Amino acid sequence: NHKNSAIELLKTIGIRVPWTMVFNQGQANRNGGSLKLDDLPPDLLYVLKADGSSGGIGVYTNKNLGYNLPSLRGLVSALRDEDRLPCRFQIQEFISGQTMGALAVFGENGDFKVVTIHEQKIENGRFVSAQWRRGLQAEFASRVSEVYARLSSIEGLRLRGPVGIDFLACGNEIGVVEVNARLTGSGPIAWLDRKSTRLNSSHLGI
């Protein structure tokens, strides 16, 4: 269930993810306290995400601008001094793009149905709302279905029920930043938005 493990799994099945390094503070402390920030590429911008982050809580984005390496070191140092550095976390490449989400429901046999593909509204690194649009659903349907199909093909994973993904859309490419094997905040909002749109269209005879 750990998000760190999910990112590593996505890499192994060929799903595009932003450059990501996972950290275990407890392990680092046992190894002399080094978190090996020097291993990070110096020319990228980054975000820091707690392993248990949800809805943007526990995610540090520098006001959606990303951190360069010196400012990231300062953030990690400050969080450590204040005893607020998560035990497990990711440092992930900051990519500017359209922030999207999707929700699928998995059946007993590993089959799935994509319920919504939606835009996520993010303010200061926090999720505030979601919006479903027919055009977005159609535009990203095949690429999102491919992600879920690859997840479904993993032997022994046995996904059941709602599974949400968060991804960034950059041109014709998508990069998956999170997988949540549960009902997420944006999924039900987008589903209700989709149902409302359909009801309004039916009422108006569209």
Side-chain angles (χ1 to χ4, degrees), residues 97-141:
Q98 190 175 14
T99 308
M100 307 280 293
L103 177 68
V105 178
F106 280 75
E108 287 297 318
N109 298 319
D111 55 320
F112 64 89
K113 179 180 180 180
V114 178
V115 180
T116 69
I117 300 172
H118 48 272
E119 185 176 5
Q120 296 182 344
K121 303 293 185 182
I122 308 294
E123 293 181 2
N124 295 323
R126 301 290 176 91
F127 167 79
V128 295
S129 186
Q131 183 179 27
W132 178 87
R133 296 199 305 274
R134 192 184 309 276
L136 286 179
Q137 186 88 14
E139 181 181 355
F140 293 99

Side-chain angles (χ1 to χ4, degrees), residues 5-17 106 144-155 157 159 165 176 179:
S5 302
I7 285 292
E8 292 300 313
L9 183 60
L10 292 176
K11 291 179 183 178
T12 65
I13 58 175
I15 294 176
R16 185 186 177 201
V17 296
F106 280 75
V144 167
S145 292
E146 173 65 19
V147 171
Y148 281 116
R150 292 195 185 193
L151 289 172
S152 179
S153 69
I154 299 173
E155 187 175 354
L157 188 58
L159 290 170
I165 64 171
V176 177
V179 176

Side-chain angles (χ1 to χ4, degrees), residues 24-33:
N24 184 320
Q25 188 182 183
Q27 189 176 62
N29 288 338
R30 291 192 294 274
N31 292 332

